[in-house]
Amino acid sequence: MHEHIMPTYASLAIRFTKGAGSWLWDEKGDKYLDALSGIAVCGLGHAHPEVAAAISEQAQTLVHTSNLYYIEKQELLANKLCDLTEMNDVFFANSGAEANEAAIKIARRFAAKKGLSQPIIITMNGSFHGRTLATLTATGNELIKEGFAPLPTGFCHLPDNDIPALEAFIDQHDNIAAILVEPIQGESGVNIPASNYLNKLRQLCDQHDFLLMLDEIQTGMGRTGTFLASQQNGIKADVVTLAKALGNGVPIGACLTQGKATGLLTSGSHGSTFGGNPLACAAALCVLEVLQRDQLADRAKQLGEKIVRSFKLALQHCEHVVDIRHKGLMIAIELKKPCTELVSQAAEKKLLINVAGGNRVRLLPPLTMTDQEANQVVDIVSNLIIAH
Ligand SMILES: *Cc1c(COP(=O)(O)O)cnc(C)c1O
């Protein structure tokens, strides 16, 4: 049955047929605990009843009109997002990569306005920004670029979390338009930079008149303990991108701007047929309401701390473990040796986890996970790591 699907993913041969909260059921009726949330997407858990009702109600009212007309739910969603982030304007897309494409186009316009020729956007080694041609070029991982030449120009990669390297590069180049960075690198294995890293980036961008563009597609939506991860640094980027958990599974991305990044995308300069349609916006509006009402960012902070305390205790004598780190519910256990087989071993134990960067067990549980479910995750994962 899978033979007509392009093999772009090394998928496990499990077909899930329904979900509820932190749980998924396969076609045989087996029940799995989900510590990955569809890669940080279902932050409110599966089939959240209020989100389901919002989607259903919107589907029975109006699904799509195009952006040739005002869309009320889109206006409400933009207001709410700007409220939560103190940003000014929003462009709605359908995915993370598309939100980053908008950010890249904004950086190019910013450069054009300043009269920079051949402008460059600085991104970091180990970053992930998406799979379109521009965003995979922005991505700091050579593997995902293989065989896709010619790639767009105008990107360069520097070591992450290395301010001296950045300063040295800035000294030698007069065509830098923007810095695009993840507050915490997700796909390469939850790489958490120095606590003042984003503040330093903000300072450098102010000093040199670059755009600071934060890819909060994975770190945003409360996952790290605040609505945006960058809010823990008390800084505001010029451009912020969101996607993943924004629609709790309904595809939607957003590119937010403020300050000197505002007003650069003008009528006719960008667009999306589906972007910000009533269905996606109704889902996202409901997600934001529940996130705020149930204080799920605080919950992410608390539960993340509890889970990591438990892991540190359970794995204190395990010599395979190099590091256990987290911000909120973005959690990694880094091992000395490759451990990709832990994914299928966990699935046999009816637990869904991920391994990133070859040797980091990555957990991205729903923000709604209960303490008891979290204990189960810690037990199963610790035992697998000890036996590894
Ligand atoms: C997932 C992700 C993307 C890409 O999002 P898609 O919706 O898959 O296009 C971009 N940046 C980061 C940080 C991500 O985690």
Side-chain angles (χ1 to χ4, degrees), residues 37-53:
S37 314
I39 322 181
V41 168
C42 299
L44 306 189
H46 296 284
H48 190 282
E50 286 165 273
V51 180

Side-chain angles (χ1 to χ4, degrees), residues 95-98 100 128-131 182 187 215 217-218 243-244:
S95 66
E98 279 180 82
N100 283 338
F128 181 77
H129 298 296
R131 298 283 194 165
E182 293 161 86
E187 292 312 295
D215 179 342
I217 289 166
Q218 191 161 148
K244 291 212 162 79

Side-chain angles (χ1 to χ4, degrees), residues 23-192:
W23 299 91
L24 285 166
W25 284 261
D26 70 8
E27 55 197 341
K28 289 179 274 177
D30 285 343
K31 187 181 170 190
Y32 291 71
L33 182 54
D34 187 2
L36 193 57
S37 314
I39 322 181
V41 168
C42 299
L44 306 189
H46 296 284
H48 190 282
E50 286 165 273
V51 180
I55 294 169
S56 166
E57 193 178 317
Q58 191 62 47
Q60 293 172 64
T61 311
L62 184 68
V63 171
H64 180 86
T65 57
S66 91
N67 287 296
L68 299 177
Y69 314 97
Y70 285 175
I71 299 171
E72 189 194 11
K73 291 272 156 61
Q74 190 185 109
E75 294 163 338
L76 293 171
L77 179 60
N79 288 347
K80 189 119 200 160
L81 281 173
C82 289
D83 244 23
L84 286 165
T85 59
E86 297 177 74
M87 302 293 281
N88 255 316
D89 292 324
V90 189
F91 174 82
F92 287 106
N94 311 288
S95 66
E98 279 180 82
N100 283 338
E101 285 278 346
I104 291 163
K105 286 179 73 171
I106 288 167
R108 294 277 174 93
R109 277 254 158 142
F110 178 72
K113 199 171 142 191
K114 290 213 306 184
L116 295 182
S117 66
Q118 300 297 312
I120 47 182
I121 297 171
I122 296 173
T123 67
M124 302 304 159
N125 294 337
S127 63
F128 181 77
H129 298 296
R131 298 283 194 165
T132 62
L133 278 173
T135 58
L136 79 82
T137 306
T139 292
N141 168 0
E142 289 313 303
L143 270 178
I144 81 161
K145 304 178 193 192
E146 240 174 65
F148 294 125
L151 296 174
T153 54
F155 296 93
C156 73
H157 301 97
L158 295 177
D160 192 33
N161 191 23
D162 187 342
I163 295 294
L166 184 59
E167 284 173 336
F169 186 88
I170 291 170
D171 280 347
Q172 290 157 13
H173 294 81
D174 56 10
N175 57 341
I176 300 165
I179 301 176
L180 170 64
V181 64
E182 293 161 86
I184 297 171
Q185 292 185 344
E187 292 312 295
S188 59
V190 189
N191 298 326
I192 304 174

